Amino acid sequence: MAKAFEEQRRSPDLEALPFEDRIGLLVDREAAERDTRRLTTRLKIVALRQTACVEDVDLRTPRGIDRAVFAKLVEGRWIDRHENLLVTGATGLGKSWLACALGHKACRDNRSVLYHRVPRLFEALALARGDGRYARLLKSLGRAQLLILDDWGLSVLTAAERRDLLEILEDRHGRASTIVTSQLPVDTWHGAIGDPTVADAILDRLVHNAHRLQLTGESMRKRSAKTITLDGQPEH
């Protein structure tokens, strides 16, 4: 507000405004600055893998993204309803980018978000189990309004990884939303989990209330090597 006040003093046009209007401008400036600081802190904590915004998503390239469905995902009410989102497709189609863009939008909407690549998350949980931080880490994963689990299904889960994933999803079921990205089609996830009984429990908590984006088409990495948008940036 002090900075805005100094700017008002240096602007002859603003001196003519009524006192109430000038105060309103100061308050608006302070509110905007606080929102910006909160968003900066939130994004730093989330540590999204890619700097992505929903406004930059390329909906012109055929990838199987329905514009109406994507608009509803951007709106974010599915997060309020504690629903999940499964993003699948071959490598290079922008699954992680889309997940990060939706995570960024959730941060802008003042929602708590966490991002983890699944292989590294399992490593972190194994270390936490050994040094006494396991319960605290699980609690942190359970509290986030939106949890992004990126690169799921790269290998068949071990027994410990199956238990960890079930604990995470059990804590979040009906309380928060989860985005999962995977190269594997959803109908093959049962085999990727390994144990049929645990797989049933995991998929019951993850899939039954989930929206799905099945990406198709040519790799965006290959396209970006050939096609540059008008502003000189690769397409996403």
Side-chain angles (χ1 to χ4, degrees):
M1 290 180 73
K3 292 178 183 178
F5 177 68
E6 288 300 321
E7 292 172 4
Q8 286 189 13
R9 292 181 61 188
R10 294 194 297 269
S11 176
D13 294 338
L14 292 177
E15 289 183 356
L17 290 176
F19 175 79
E20 292 82 359
D21 291 348
R22 294 183 63 179
I23 287 293
L25 290 173
L26 295 178
V27 173
D28 289 345
R29 176 68 171 272
E30 176 66 18
E33 289 287 341
R34 291 189 181 194
D35 287 343
T36 299
R37 287 197 297 269
R38 279 196 294 267
L39 177 59
T40 300
T41 300
R42 201 174 292 119
L43 290 173
K44 185 177 181 180
I45 293 172
V46 174
L48 295 169
R49 182 180 182 182
Q50 302 184 54
T51 303
C53 297
V54 292
E55 292 82 1
D56 296 332
V57 173
D58 176 20
L59 296 175
R60 298 167 299 175
T61 302
R63 282 188 287 171
I65 302 176
D66 183 274
R67 290 175 180 265
V69 171
F70 188 71
K72 289 182 179 180
L73 293 174
V74 170
E75 188 180 39
R77 292 184 180 177
W78 61 281
I79 301 176
D80 297 329
R81 297 192 296 266
H82 312 312
E83 297 166 354
N84 301 321
L85 171 62
L86 314 178
V87 186
T88 57
T91 185
L93 289 176
K95 299 183 298 296
S96 297
W97 204 94
L98 285 171
C100 288
L102 291 170
H104 183 273
K105 179 58 166 58
C107 286
R108 285 159 51 189
D109 291 340
N110 202 31
R111 294 183 171 100
S112 59
V113 182
L114 286 178
Y115 169 91
H116 288 281
R117 286 192 67 248
V118 172
R120 292 187 179 178
L121 175 59
F122 286 143
E123 292 175 3
L125 287 166
L127 290 173
R129 189 181 290 105
D131 62 20
R133 294 180 297 108
Y134 184 74
R136 188 162 70 248
L137 180 52
L138 282 181
K139 185 176 181 180
S140 173
L141 293 168
R143 279 200 306 250
Q145 290 173 279
L146 178 63
L147 173 64
I148 300 173
L149 298 177
D150 198 10
D151 284 341
W152 146 258
L154 295 180
S155 60
V156 177
L157 301 184
T158 66
E161 291 169 346
R162 286 193 290 269
R163 289 194 299 270
D164 288 341
L165 184 58
L166 181 57
E167 288 295 328
I168 292 169
L169 296 177
E170 173 62 28
D171 288 345
R172 300 182 58 77
H173 183 57
R175 302 183 183 92
S177 296
T178 305
I179 295 178
V180 178
T181 75
S182 177
Q183 297 180 33
L184 301 177
V186 175
D187 58 10
T188 67
W189 287 11
H190 198 280
I193 295 172
D195 181 284
T197 303
V198 179
D200 286 342
I202 288 174
L203 296 180
D204 178 66
R205 289 158 176 78
L206 183 62
V207 175
H208 82 279
N209 69 339
H211 304 270
R212 300 192 189 188
L213 286 179
Q214 172 65 52
L215 304 186
T216 59
E218 183 183 7
S219 167
M220 297 299 288
R221 296 192 185 101
K222 293 180 181 178
R223 289 181 60 87
S224 65
K226 299 181 293 184
T227 306
I228 302 297
T229 59
L230 293 177
D231 62 1
Q233 297 298 319
E235 293 181 333
H236 300 291

